[in-house]
């Protein structure tokens, strides 16, 4: 198996490429540390929604629906307000339709390449973002922290390790998600009709007209029950839905099966992700986003137990870490 890691380009942008046997992947450190592609070049599979040359400017303006963007803190916060530890931070209201703040600060910021290379079994890259008083986002979320993101590629597919460290002297919030954009179809010769998705969802949160949780749950529809079990087409109806995560057989994951190609893409995420979002671009076939999320949307304003809604915190000097994997079976 040929294994390598090297600096190169992706549609004119600086990238680090990983190769291992039939697999290849690329990360864009300068654009949010986004793992922009994951491919099986032998079979022609492209698992992630990638921007083409004509889409690069749109991608740079709004990188949330391509590759694997890092959301910190993720999703929506009512009126841009983030109550924390006796203070209320004010985030920019950047979603006019809901008058909320959306998706945090790290999916558009530049990350640094800390290391890349290869061994006999894998190629890898580690990118880092360090936030302190000099970082633009510190104005809104005044905490010092470091986030390291390591991707490795090998026979078992694409592995992701995430590490967050509180560098400051105050307790900080640790709320994070990945807006992972998965192609359906990902195989040449298949269509979206050939696909079924399964997801380890539990209950569906009721959302207000501002897309904020009310604290109540809604009854699952038959298709959502199928989502928990035998699977359902990912474009059966428009979805912008929020669910609790309930592990099955000890795992928290999505499975996307191509019945024509006879393969299943598994997105196995850690059980620290207490919630799922699933968004399918208005049921337009092509790609959808199964989003593993630590916290409930708008969690700092929801009066429910912190562990239940993933309202995690880090004391000074503490770490939080989790791992995920994308692979074929």
């Amino acid at each position: 198996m040929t294994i390598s890691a090297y600096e190169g380009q992706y549609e004119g942008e600086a990238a680090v490429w990983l190769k291992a046997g039939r697999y290849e992947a690329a990360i864009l450190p300068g654009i949010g540390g986004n793992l922009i592609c994951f491919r099986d070049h032998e079979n022609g599979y492209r698992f992630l929604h990638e921007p083409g040359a004509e889409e690069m400017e749109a991608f740079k303006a709004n990188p949330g629906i391509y590759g694997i963007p890092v959301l910190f803190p993720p999703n929506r916060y009512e009126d841009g307000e983030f109550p924390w530890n006796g203070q209320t931070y004010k985030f920019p209201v950047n979603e006019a339709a809901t008058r909320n703040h959306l998706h945090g600060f790290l999916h558009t910021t530049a990350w640094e390449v800390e290391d890349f290379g290869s061994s006999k079994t894998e190629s890898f890259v580690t990118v880092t973002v360090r936030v302190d008083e000099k970082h633009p986002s510190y104005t809104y979320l005044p905490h010092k922290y470091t986030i390291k993101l390591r991707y490795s590629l090998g026979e078992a597919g694409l592995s992701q390790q995430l590490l967050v460290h509180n560098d400051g002297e105050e307790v900080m919030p640790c709320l994070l998600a990945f807006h992972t954009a998965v192609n359906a179809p990902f195989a040449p010769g298949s269509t979206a009709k050939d696909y079924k998705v399964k997801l380890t969802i539990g209950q569906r949160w009721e959302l207000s007209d501002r897309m904020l949780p009310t604290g109540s749950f809604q009854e699952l529809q038959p298709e959502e029950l199928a989502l928990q079990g035998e699977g359902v087409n990912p474009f059966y109806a428009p979805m912008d839905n929020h669910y609790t995560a309930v592990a099955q057989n000890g795992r928290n994951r999505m499975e996307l099966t191509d019945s024509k190609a006879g393969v299943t893409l598994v997105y196995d995420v850690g059980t620290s992700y207490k919630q799922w979002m699933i968004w399918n671009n208005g049921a337009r076939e092509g790609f959808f986003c199964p989003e593993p999320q630590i916290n409930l949307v708008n969690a700092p304003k929801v009066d429910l137990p912190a562990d239940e809604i993933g309202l995690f915190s880090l004391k000074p000097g503490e770490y939080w870490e989790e791992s995920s994997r994308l692979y074929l079976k």
Side-chain angles (χ1 to χ4, degrees):
M1 182 169 64
T2 302
I3 298 174
S4 63
Y6 59 92
E7 293 180 304
Q9 298 278 310
Y10 178 93
E11 300 295 354
E13 294 295 324
V16 176
W17 283 87
L18 307 178
K19 293 184 182 290
R22 60 179 171 147
Y23 293 124
E24 63 182 8
I27 193 170
L28 301 179
I31 309 178
N34 193 319
L35 195 289
I36 200 63
C37 71
F38 173 40
R39 305 168 180 166
D40 175 340
H41 64 82
E42 287 184 4
N43 293 297
Y45 300 159
R46 295 195 172 203
F47 302 113
L48 300 178
H49 184 222
E50 304 177 28
E54 72 286 354
E55 298 172 292
M56 286 302 290
E57 291 309 310
F59 160 65
K60 285 184 263 188
N62 179 22
I65 61 170
Y66 298 93
I68 307 181
V70 184
L71 308 183
F72 187 92
N75 221 285
R76 295 177 174 88
Y77 299 90
E78 184 179 5
D79 301 321
E81 294 179 352
F82 191 101
W84 182 259
N85 212 19
Q87 303 178 69
T88 297
Y89 304 142
K90 189 67 176 177
F91 298 167
V93 173
N94 58 3
E95 188 180 47
T98 65
R99 307 183 306 283
N100 298 319
H101 173 78
L102 181 67
H103 288 341
F105 313 106
L106 297 191
H107 64 301
T108 56
T109 199
W111 294 52
E112 296 181 4
V113 178
E114 183 174 279
D115 193 17
F116 68 92
S118 60
S119 68
K120 292 182 179 180
T121 57
E122 67 173 16
S123 55
F124 67 89
V125 60
T126 301
V127 294
T128 302
V129 62
R130 292 180 175 85
V131 173
D132 57 20
E133 298 95 331
K134 299 176 183 178
H135 196 277
S137 69
Y138 188 87
T139 301
Y140 308 111
L141 189 64
H143 291 275
K144 299 177 184 179
Y145 57 92
T146 299
I147 300 182
K148 292 188 179 186
L149 188 56
R150 184 184 191 270
Y151 286 101
S152 60
L153 201 60
E155 188 174 321
L158 179 72
S159 174
Q160 176 199 72
Q161 287 86 39
L162 178 76
L163 184 69
V164 184
H165 182 253
N166 184 351
D167 301 330
E169 299 177 356
E170 304 290 337
V171 176
M172 66 170 282
C174 183
L175 310 183
L176 182 142
F178 291 97
H179 204 290
T180 308
V182 176
N183 281 334
F186 58 73
S190 296
T191 71
K193 301 293 190 296
D194 297 316
Y195 284 72
K196 280 189 174 183
V197 61
K198 295 170 58 177
L199 204 66
T200 51
I201 62 168
Q203 295 178 287
R204 178 178 174 176
W205 292 99
E206 181 183 61
L207 301 178
S208 71
D209 58 0
R210 295 179 64 184
M211 298 301 292
L212 300 171
T214 66
S216 299
F217 293 113
Q218 294 177 305
E219 184 178 354
L220 294 181
Q221 299 301 303
E223 293 87 355
E224 292 170 305
L225 295 173
L227 186 61
Q228 291 176 319
E230 72 272 15
V232 68
N233 184 270
F235 308 105
Y236 77 87
M239 284 190 287
D240 194 354
N241 302 343
H242 196 18
Y243 302 95
T244 62
V246 177
Q248 296 179 11
N249 196 29
R251 294 177 178 88
N252 191 22
R253 62 186 179 184
M254 177 214 75
E255 296 184 16
L256 181 64
T257 297
D258 181 323
S259 58
K260 186 173 183 180
V263 294
T264 297
L265 176 68
V266 179
Y267 184 28
D268 196 340
V269 305
T271 53
S272 283
Y273 296 105
K274 301 293 187 182
Q275 315 288 329
W276 284 101
M277 291 291 301
I278 184 165
W279 178 77
N280 67 358
N281 196 26
R284 288 189 285 274
E285 295 179 352
F287 76 97
F288 69 104
C289 297
E291 306 167 36
Q293 189 162 302
I294 289 176
N295 58 290
L296 178 68
V297 169
N298 204 36
K301 283 195 169 186
V302 178
D303 187 19
L304 289 170
D307 278 342
E308 182 179 324
I309 60 175
L311 188 56
F312 294 169
S313 63
L314 286 178
K315 294 178 182 178
E318 284 189 336
Y319 290 92
W320 178 86
E321 64 181 324
E322 189 57 276
S323 60
S324 301
R325 183 176 295 276
L326 279 159
Y327 65 94
L328 276 183
K329 69 171 187 177

